[in-house]
Amino acid sequence: AATMRQLEGLDGVEFERRFFPVMIEHHRGAVLMADSAWRDAADVRLRIFAESLRHAQRGQIERMAEFQKEEP
């Protein structure tokens, strides 16, 4: 919810400029949470899911960082 509030009321170019930084921050938080789950969970299914989540979120962070580099 706090992440979405950072984008409220923005549109057009201003929304586009803020979107990736906000989403990258959000995804980094997800990676940290998944790191904790991978490290601390007893259920192997949760650990497997956490590893999948870490991999997916890191890939998305990399793609968003590339998009940011391409901005005019």
Side-chain angles (χ1 to χ4, degrees):
T3 301
M4 290 303 298
R5 281 194 294 272
Q6 294 181 49
L7 298 174
E8 284 179 7
L10 303 177
D11 59 8
V13 173
E14 191 57 35
F15 178 86
E16 293 166 10
R17 285 187 183 138
R18 289 293 306 138
F19 180 79
F20 286 127
V22 168
M23 285 302 292
I24 289 170
E25 175 186 334
H26 173 75
H27 280 52
R28 285 181 178 150
V31 170
L32 290 174
M33 290 176 69
D35 286 343
S36 293
W38 186 87
R39 182 183 59 248
D40 300 330
D43 188 332
V44 70
R45 295 171 298 176
L46 179 52
R47 294 188 69 202
I48 290 168
F49 178 76
E51 179 61 25
S52 172
L53 183 62
R54 292 189 316 176
H55 177 74
Q57 296 291 301
R58 287 177 180 146
Q60 291 174 1
I61 289 168
E62 288 176 18
R63 284 194 298 278
M64 287 186 283
E66 288 299 316
F67 281 131
Q68 281 186 295
K69 290 178 187 175
E70 296 172 9
E71 285 184 4

